[in-house]
Amino acid sequence: MIRQVWWKIISVLLLLYTLIMGLLVPLNPGIIHVSPSSANTGDQLQLQVEGYNSFYSSEQGAIRAWLKLDDKNSLAATSVKVLNDRQLQLNFSIPAFLPVKDRVKDLTLILDNPKDGASVLPSAVFITQDSIDPVIGQKAWVNTPISNLSERKAFTFPFRNILGETIRNQYFHVPLWFAMIFLFLFSVIYSTRYLRTFDADNDRRALALTTTGVIFGILGLVTGALWAKNTWGAYWSWDIKQNMTAVALLIYFAYFILRGAFQDEEKRARLGAVYNIFAFVALIPLIFVIPRLVDSLHPGAGGNPAFGGDDLDNTMRMVFYPAGIGWTLFGFWIASIAYRTARLQAIAEEE
């Protein structure tokens, strides 16, 4: 008995682990936003900073702040005032000239304290200079190197300025798609077996796997749309990745329509098997090839890599990979139930 259900038990345990760890582990401290977001050269800039999961009050006097221009130039805050655990007031003296030729330059805000570690907000402030003279700017710019940054020693997920708490969707949206791919792959294997043996059981298995794969694909599309609303501002942005996945699912919807168009079981199974192979062949370029050739908002598209340091760190991998295995095994469990149901129905009809 245990030999037959061990993988089902593992799927449940992995999904419970994913839910508990994925939803309860806190995010690293970060910076939500600053105000004002623009200034001119020569200004005495006073920044109001709002932090996230931060503990500024407990680190009075130990907080350091910089505005980073580039890898060689950074400007330290002249003063740091703690308002509460989540709010700071920073003062910067912006030189009269910047050491670059750009009229407008975005600066990155970096905060550091022993308790929270280092926090970064890219493009926090845009500085405009009316007169451009990089030579004078090099002399006027008082460079303060960023060094000895603190490291927070705790099991936390990374804070990404755009994603925030929605980064936890990584454990649901992406693994659902991975599970879908494996379900479709095995459905093709059984469709191929059917074309070789004409065993109705192989067709039933292929149908159960494809049905479950489509359900997982829909869930992946829905979770992706919810994520897009938070990060891109709309549920559907007509992004190339969204469009291609929708087309791929529509191709699989046609699989069910095709099967429903035939009353003869053998003809339905044979044409369904052929179409299932075609659908999977079309799925690969639609999801994995075409989006990489076109600019896209989605990670892993437009030539930018997915699952890099900006998407997953070591703590996230400890939940992400178990989530992928758990959702995949759970999908096969659902497919096995659908197959057994179809088989029992066929036996009942024969009797």
Side-chain angles (χ1 to χ4, degrees), residues 172-189:
F172 305 96
H173 171 63
V174 181
L176 283 167
W177 279 106
F178 281 169
M180 178 197 74
I181 296 297
F182 281 109
L183 289 164
F184 285 158
L185 174 62
F186 275 81
S187 75
V188 167
I189 292 173

Side-chain angles (χ1 to χ4, degrees), residues 29 55 58-59 113-117 150-153:
F55 298 91
S58 60
E59 295 297 328
N113 70 70
K115 188 174 182 65
D116 295 335
S150 304
E151 183 176 352
R152 180 181 170 88
K153 296 180 179 179

